[in-house]
Amino acid sequence: MISQFLPTDFDATAKIAILAGKGVYPQLVVDELVKLQIKTTLIAFEDETSPDLISQFSPDNVETINVGQLGKLLKSLKKHNVKYAIMAGQITPKKLFKGLKLDLKAMLVMATLKRKNAETIFGAIANELAKIGVNMLDARSFLDESIAPKGFFTGKKWSVSNDYLQHGMTIAREMARLDVGQGCVVARGSVLAVEAWEGTDQMIERAGQFDAKDALFAKTVKPNQDYRFDVPVIGERTIRKLAKANIKNVAIEAGKVIILEKDKVRTLAEENDIKIFGV
């Protein structure tokens, strides 16, 4: 089995379009697809996709579009004759509110949405892709080895009680259920910060201002998580933010949250005495 997250009828001979956002996530997906010798084309988003990643593709195998150009996206996928698409990496959240240049197709789709969030917007896009025969894959596909394991990933024991650990996960899960965010920072039964649209990094920065003892960062998933678009991740950047904020304890949903570049995260976390536990 190539990946447990692929559909049972996955065709490994078909071409996959990588919709590449920010960060190292898209590069990890590309590396795995290269190893598997699966044909790919790159859809790069203006001011989002890494130039280094773009340079790895021949010019005739890259399409660069604005985040709001749904019509151009559909035309690009048709042009390259892809059967699958995979979303890899984050799109800057504020772009969905400011500076978004919607084309006519995108405006028509957005007008049908009563609630506008990442899940509804990207879900509507997936429906448009399906109409032209392109299937959106689970974004965890090909990254099975990056899924958070159960138990201690770094460290051997907690400096916080099990009650406080469970409190953090309860708050994170409730925020996810309410579609507010998928993370929080707690300390000794108090909620220091919850993640909303601004994202994990800024939440950690806010929580760090309290300099609270035994602070714990918890990360989870929504009850009905759509893994085609929204995969919770932690990576080196997260660990650096936690170290700067003096938050030494991390609880993540095992089997669901992705740890990007596990070896690097483990090394950096251990250097900063940050304990990571899969719940």
Side-chain angles (χ1 to χ4, degrees), residues 45-261:
F45 293 104
E46 293 176 7
D47 303 320
E48 300 287 337
T49 308
S50 165
D52 289 339
L53 181 62
I54 294 172
S55 69
Q56 295 169 36
F57 289 76
S58 61
D60 62 351
N61 201 27
V62 177
E63 299 290 337
T64 301
I65 66 174
N66 183 276
V67 171
Q69 293 179 308
L70 178 56
K72 186 174 180 180
L73 171 61
L74 297 173
K75 289 178 182 178
S76 297
L77 296 177
K78 285 181 180 179
K79 172 184 173 182
H80 290 275
N81 194 31
V82 303
K83 184 174 182 179
Y84 303 104
I86 184 168
M87 185 74 200
Q90 186 189 46
I91 299 298
T92 304
K94 68 180 181 181
K95 279 200 171 181
L96 296 179
F97 292 103
K98 185 178 181 181
L100 187 62
K101 302 172 184 176
L102 298 177
D103 62 14
L104 180 58
K105 185 66 175 178
M107 284 190 283
L108 291 172
V109 169
M110 291 286 279
T112 67
L113 303 178
K114 293 182 179 179
R115 178 180 293 185
K116 294 178 177 63
N117 56 33
E119 190 169 341
T120 60
I121 292 170
F122 288 117
I125 292 172
N127 291 337
E128 294 301 317
L129 266 59
K131 291 177 183 177
I132 63 169
V134 177
N135 300 309
M136 286 296 302
L137 296 175
D138 186 317
R140 297 170 296 176
S141 299
F142 315 109
L143 295 183
D144 301 53
E145 295 301 315
S146 298
I147 300 296
K150 200 169 184 63
F152 279 105
F153 178 69
T154 61
K156 295 181 179 179
K157 65 179 182 177
W158 285 107
S159 60
V160 298
S161 71
N162 186 62
D163 285 344
Y164 292 152
L165 166 65
Q166 295 304 322
H167 173 245
M169 290 304 296
T170 297
I171 296 299
R173 286 167 179 158
E174 188 64 10
M175 291 299 98
R177 183 186 70 81
L178 294 171
D179 197 21
V180 176
Q182 296 164 306
C184 69
V185 178
V186 301
R188 299 189 175 190
S190 296
V191 179
L192 303 183
V194 295
E195 178 188 23
W197 198 262
E198 83 282 16
T200 300
D201 291 354
Q202 290 188 39
M203 178 198 67
I204 291 172
E205 290 173 5
R206 286 190 286 111
Q209 295 174 10
F210 294 100
D211 197 24
K213 190 173 182 180
D214 294 334
L216 178 141
F217 164 54
K219 187 82 170 178
T220 188
V221 298
K222 298 175 186 175
N224 297 304
Q225 188 83 22
D226 190 337
Y227 289 102
R228 295 175 299 172
F229 314 108
D230 190 12
V231 181
V233 304
I234 66 169
E236 282 189 286
R237 188 176 69 186
T238 312
I239 302 304
R240 290 193 180 95
K241 289 287 184 180
L242 289 166
K244 188 174 181 179
N246 198 33
I247 298 171
K248 301 292 186 178
N249 306 289
V250 179
I252 54 180
E253 199 79 51
K256 296 178 180 178
V257 173
I258 281 181
I259 303 176
L260 298 173
E261 298 183 297

Side-chain angles (χ1 to χ4, degrees), residues 3-11 84 137-138 141:
S3 172
Q4 63 179 309
F5 303 113
L6 289 170
T8 55
D9 61 349
F10 176 73
D11 180 4
Y84 303 104
L137 296 175
D138 186 317
S141 299

